[in-house]
Amino acid sequence: RIQFQIQGLLELRQNGWEKKLWKDKPKSKEEVRKDAAAEAKKAAKGGGVDVLFSTQIAGCPSYIDASKGPGQGQRQRRAGEVVWDQAYVKRICQYFADDRNGEELADNWHKATPNSTQAKQGLEWLLDIGFSDKGKADIMAETVTELVARRVVSWEHLKDALSPSLEGLEDMVIDIPNCLSFFDFLVARLVLKFGRDFNASILSALNHEGGNDFHWKVLVTAIKKCQEFGGHQGVSKALEHKELEQMLCKARRCTEGELKAALREVGL
């Protein structure tokens, strides 16, 4: 019922807040026969009008009128206005996937003028696609990296958007076994793009005392992706970050001196 009510409201807005009203007018039998004959005749000619309905302005809700600028029609959106929603974010990311135009990606993001909360939400949408769709993992990682590189979103935005997923990553793997591939792509893209400026605090949700074998494996596979993309230099770029090194030590339950041997054991 709620779904149909919402659909009815959307259709009412689309029609300029005009709704059809049933003509409640009694007719004689003779009038009914005449109307039926007239309708049949009009239908045969391919024309005719709906004589059982009239239209009436239902009235636009006040909060919608209040949001519109002076002189706007009820059914007219401001020229060039862009609505910030998930569909729009997906669309501009598809544009980036097609041509890898980072400047256009940034311009399209800014067109919607998202505030800080909306920017974080936009990142959450991209991260969700990356974690859930293996085929789009790398392009989503590249898109997020480009947004950070062009300062469209901040490291803090990314940390806030990413942390809930990292906190539940071990459970996510049960439902989406391929979700870790996105994490690997994301870390590798960011490390290789920013080098010393990579902000490892975005991974702080994996920074726990007492050791964690799962976190160790997750971090190691991400560094291996750095190696795949950037060779030995890619590994060096990852390990030059003290915070990331500390995360590895805590996950492995080892000292910094022991870490090098542990990494060699896994091919790093």
Side-chain angles (χ1 to χ4, degrees), residues 123-145 158 161-162 165-166 169 172 176-190 218 221-222 225 229:
L123 282 174
E124 288 172 345
W125 290 331
L126 300 183
L127 295 174
D128 182 62
I129 295 172
F131 278 119
S132 59
D133 190 339
K134 183 180 179 180
K136 296 179 180 177
D138 192 21
I139 184 57
M140 287 299 105
E142 192 175 343
T143 302
V144 171
T145 300
L158 181 55
L162 182 60
S165 295
L166 296 186
L169 193 57
M172 190 190 301
I176 313 173
N178 295 318
C179 67
L180 291 179
S181 64
F182 171 66
F183 178 78
D184 298 341
F185 280 122
L186 181 62
V187 173
R189 291 289 183 190
L190 290 169
V218 166
T221 56
K225 184 62 72 173
F229 284 175

Side-chain angles (χ1 to χ4, degrees), residues 9-266:
L9 180 61
L10 292 174
E11 291 175 354
L12 186 62
R13 183 177 67 176
Q14 184 179 5
N15 293 328
W17 304 103
E18 289 185 353
K19 65 179 180 180
K20 288 185 176 181
L21 298 177
W22 183 269
K23 285 187 174 181
D24 188 13
K25 180 181 178 181
K27 296 181 179 182
S28 66
K29 291 182 179 180
E30 185 61 26
E31 287 175 329
V32 170
R33 293 192 190 97
K34 288 181 180 180
D35 287 344
E39 283 296 305
K41 186 176 181 180
K42 289 176 182 178
K45 293 181 179 180
V49 294
D50 190 353
V51 299
L52 297 179
F53 294 93
S54 64
T55 60
Q56 175 178 314
I57 300 298
C60 177
S62 59
Y63 68 87
I64 294 179
D65 277 334
S67 68
K68 295 183 177 182
Q72 283 185 294
Q74 287 180 320
R75 301 174 62 181
Q76 184 177 5
R77 187 181 298 281
R78 289 191 296 271
E81 182 181 4
V82 175
V83 177
W84 178 263
D85 57 16
Q86 191 170 12
Y88 179 73
V89 173
K90 286 182 177 180
R91 186 163 64 251
I92 65 175
C93 288
Q94 184 60 54
Y95 297 158
F96 177 72
D98 291 341
D99 55 26
R100 297 300 199 278
N101 189 329
E103 183 177 355
E104 182 184 53
L105 173 67
D107 288 343
N108 285 333
W109 187 281
H110 286 309
K111 280 180 183 178
T113 61
N115 57 34
S116 182
T117 300
Q118 290 172 323
K120 172 179 172 288
Q121 183 183 51
L123 282 174
E124 288 172 345
W125 290 331
L126 300 183
L127 295 174
D128 182 62
I129 295 172
F131 278 119
S132 59
D133 190 339
K134 183 180 179 180
K136 296 179 180 177
D138 192 21
I139 184 57
M140 287 299 105
E142 192 175 343
T143 302
V144 171
T145 300
E146 191 69 25
L147 290 171
V148 177
R150 293 183 177 274
R151 299 185 179 181
V152 177
V153 296
S154 67
W155 287 104
E156 195 64 27
H157 284 135
L158 181 55
K159 178 183 176 181
D160 291 344
L162 182 60
S163 291
S165 295
L166 296 186
E167 290 170 0
L169 193 57
E170 193 166 3
D171 292 331
M172 190 190 301
V173 172
I174 298 174
D175 298 323
I176 313 173
N178 295 318
C179 67
L180 291 179
S181 64
F182 171 66
F183 178 78
D184 298 341
F185 280 122
L186 181 62
V187 173
R189 291 289 183 190
L190 290 169
V191 166
L192 296 178
K193 181 75 173 182
F194 291 94
R196 291 181 178 274
D197 294 328
F198 170 69
N199 191 336
S201 69
I202 64 169
L203 309 178
S204 59
L206 302 178
N207 192 12
H208 294 292
E209 299 286 350
N212 187 303
D213 291 338
F214 176 75
H215 289 172
W216 167 257
K217 292 177 182 178
V218 166
L219 292 171
V220 165
T221 56
I223 297 175
K224 284 186 175 181
K225 184 62 72 173
C226 294
Q227 184 182 50
E228 178 185 330
F229 284 175
H232 179 71
Q233 187 178 9
V235 177
S236 298
K237 284 186 176 183
L239 296 179
E240 70 182 356
H241 296 280
K242 195 69 175 179
E243 190 171 354
L244 181 55
E245 186 180 56
Q246 291 174 349
M247 291 181 199
L248 287 163
C249 288
K250 290 179 181 179
R252 183 65 174 177
R253 296 179 293 273
C254 66
T255 65
E256 292 181 8
E258 296 169 334
L259 179 61
K260 292 182 179 180
L263 292 173
R264 281 197 297 269
E265 290 176 4
V266 295

